[in-house]
Amino acid sequence: MTSDKQHIDQLMLEKLTGSISGEDDHALQQLMAADPALKDAFSCLQQQFNEPAAKQYLDQLDESQLWEERKHLFKKNNARNMRVLYWAAAGILLLLVSALYFLFPGEQPRQPVAAIKSAAPANSVILQMANGQTIVLSDTTQSSLLNIGSAQMRVSSKSLQYEAAGTDAPTAMNLLQVPAGKDYKLTLPDSTEIWLNAMSEIRFPVSFNGRTREVFVSGEAYFSVRKDINRPFIVHTGQFSVNVLGTAFNINTYSSNSPRLSLSSGKVSLKSKTGNQSVQLSPGYEAIYNPQQGNGFRVDEFNARNTLAWMEGKYYFRNTSLKEIAVVIRRLFDVKVQFTAPGAENITVSGVLTKKEGLPEFMDNLSKTTDIKYQLTGSVLQIL
């Protein structure tokens, strides 16, 4: 009798390979909805399957040969033929996953965010190494120079710079997380510079030893990519990937409905996750992705002052609803916004929010130009 865990593993594997039935898919969705840890585990496994190295390995596998080599392990019984075939298929799938774990140890599913945060002080910038080691980068009491294996890093509360990484350094992905109220600069081993906005994260290797330089990002980040004609730089997001040689651009994926890339210099090509939608950009233009419209990408000019102002701790609003501004306040100041006045969230205002001047200054100015009142208590802002 197969355990519940084995059955759930089987459902997740069938979901990943597209062989799950409608009934089983519905059952799995219900299980994940009831158990956030299970949902996180599936997301980790899904990310592992999407890694370039893993995809290449799976594409090269001959499943027919694997079946011929192992079919003797599965006993046939006419009365239970369908069940035997079901678990035989599970064995092949589990074999593939085991191969990924042993052949690509650096691409193990990353530890759930909740688990990482529990091991570090709240509101900390966290570096989760591929080997499981957690480093609190915003801890000002630690040494400014860290040695992790063959990698040497210079660390401060605002930046992390790789100063040296041997050619034999592992290519496994590390995870850098920036919480609400913070921003952080990362300098990769190839001298590419990345500025991460609040509530953003990036996965990157200690060293780029392959034919490409690939990272994974979510949230918002500004890239200044070091040119290397022999190794293209590729940025992966949940909806599209970006291929560049040497250029500067801003990626914003806060909204899953309209992730965008704004190009400051150079040229880039974007390709949807499905691979059937693509676009090329020139400086001064941005691509906004919506898979439901046309070829998925809409290209427009963008205002660099407004788009890149976050790097200076500024946000410009023009006829923007308080509901939209509340999202920015949450990221910038780590403050929760509650609307108690009916319809207050739909009030539109224009102005600038500056991190340096602080939230009270912004709210005071807002109160003078509108009829709203506010109360700021600890980490909660109430719009009265």
Side-chain angles (χ1 to χ4, degrees):
M1 183 73 177
T2 304
S3 69
D4 290 340
K5 183 181 183 304
Q6 286 178 308
H7 181 58
I8 293 173
D9 288 344
Q10 168 65 19
L11 293 180
M12 289 195 293
L13 289 170
E14 288 187 346
K15 175 74 171 176
L16 289 169
T17 58
S19 60
I20 194 170
S21 67
E23 182 180 355
D24 284 345
D25 190 14
H26 179 68
L28 179 60
Q29 294 296 338
Q30 287 184 320
L31 288 170
M32 290 194 294
D35 187 351
L38 182 62
K39 185 177 181 180
D40 286 341
F42 176 77
S43 296
C44 289
L45 192 58
Q46 189 175 41
Q47 288 177 0
Q48 183 179 356
F49 264 71
N50 288 332
E51 296 291 350
K55 285 185 175 180
Q56 181 180 1
Y57 174 75
L58 290 173
D59 288 342
Q60 294 173 348
L61 283 177
D62 187 337
E63 294 182 38
S64 298
Q65 182 180 351
L66 286 173
W67 171 258
E68 288 299 323
E69 293 175 353
R70 290 162 178 81
K71 66 181 181 180
H72 66 281
L73 299 175
F74 306 101
K75 296 181 180 180
K76 292 185 178 180
N77 184 307
N78 291 335
R80 302 174 62 196
N81 186 48
M82 292 304 293
R83 187 172 182 81
V84 170
L85 289 176
Y86 178 84
W87 291 110
I92 296 297
L93 286 172
L94 288 170
L95 176 66
L96 298 183
V97 174
S98 297
L100 288 176
Y101 270 76
F102 286 105
L103 291 177
F104 304 105
E107 304 300 340
Q108 300 286 338
R110 59 187 173 91
Q111 186 178 353
V113 172
I116 295 174
K117 288 185 177 179
S118 65
N123 203 37
S124 299
V125 180
I126 299 296
L127 176 63
Q128 181 75 9
M129 304 295 291
N131 62 7
Q133 181 180 358
T134 298
I135 302 173
V136 182
L137 298 176
S138 47
D139 179 6
T140 57
T141 64
Q142 68 182 349
S143 172
S144 61
L145 194 61
L146 297 179
N147 292 283
I148 307 294
S150 62
Q152 188 177 75
M153 301 175 289
R154 187 165 296 279
V155 181
S156 75
S157 61
K158 296 292 292 182
S159 66
L160 167 65
Q161 179 177 352
Y162 278 81
E163 295 198 335
T167 56
D168 60 341
T171 57
M173 292 289 182
N174 303 317
L175 173 66
L176 174 60
Q177 290 182 303
V178 182
K182 305 281 188 179
D183 55 77
Y184 205 76
K185 180 184 177 183
L186 169 66
T187 303
L188 296 176
D190 68 339
S191 297
T192 289
E193 296 178 313
I194 305 169
W195 288 261
L196 292 161
N197 201 352
M199 297 180 69
S200 301
E201 64 178 47
I202 184 171
R203 287 193 294 142
F204 62 97
V206 171
S207 180
F208 296 113
N209 294 328
R211 295 181 178 178
T212 59
R213 297 169 290 163
E214 301 188 42
V215 300
F216 298 75
V217 68
S218 65
E220 185 168 28
Y222 183 83
F223 286 77
S224 179
V225 178
R226 181 68 176 266
K227 188 173 183 178
D228 185 342
I229 60 174
N230 296 317
R231 293 186 301 170
F233 196 96
I234 301 174
V235 182
H236 298 278
T237 73
Q239 294 83 9
F240 57 81
S241 61
V242 188
N243 193 313
V244 304
L245 289 177
T247 186
F249 54 89
N250 192 79
I251 286 183
N252 185 330
T253 69
Y254 285 133
S255 172
S256 59
N257 296 323
S258 57
R260 64 188 64 203
L261 182 144
S262 308
L263 183 62
S264 297
S265 63
K267 289 186 178 181
V268 299
S269 61
L270 292 81
K271 184 168 64 175
S272 65
K273 190 174 181 180
T274 58
N276 57 0
Q277 299 166 323
S278 61
V279 69
Q280 291 188 339
L281 277 186
S282 297
Y285 288 85
E286 66 180 2
I288 305 169
Y289 183 65
N290 184 339
Q292 307 302 322
Q293 295 182 355
N295 78 335
F297 291 100
R298 186 180 84 246
V299 177
D300 291 318
E301 290 186 89
F302 74 97
N303 185 313
R305 187 196 71 165
N306 293 348
T307 300
L308 304 181
W310 70 265
M311 298 177 67
E312 300 176 353
K314 297 180 180 179
Y315 291 82
Y316 292 93
F317 305 114
R318 183 175 182 181
N319 297 325
T320 306
S321 71
L322 289 182
K323 183 178 180 180
E324 295 175 90
I325 294 176
V327 176
V328 177
I329 290 175
R330 169 72 179 90
R331 287 199 302 263
L332 194 60
F333 299 105
D334 195 16
V335 169
K336 182 178 181 181
V337 181
Q338 297 177 342
F339 292 96
T340 57
E345 66 271 20
N346 297 320
I347 296 175
T348 59
V349 298
S350 298
V352 57
L353 172 61
T354 304
K355 185 176 183 179
K356 183 178 181 180
E357 294 180 354
L359 183 57
E361 178 78 12
F362 176 75
M363 294 306 302
D364 284 344
N365 291 334
L366 199 60
S367 295
K368 295 175 183 178
T369 56
T370 65
D371 294 329
I372 69 167
K373 303 297 180 182
Y374 78 93
Q375 181 175 324
L376 180 59
T377 306
S379 60
V380 177
L381 171 65
Q382 288 185 309
I383 307 297
L384 308 174

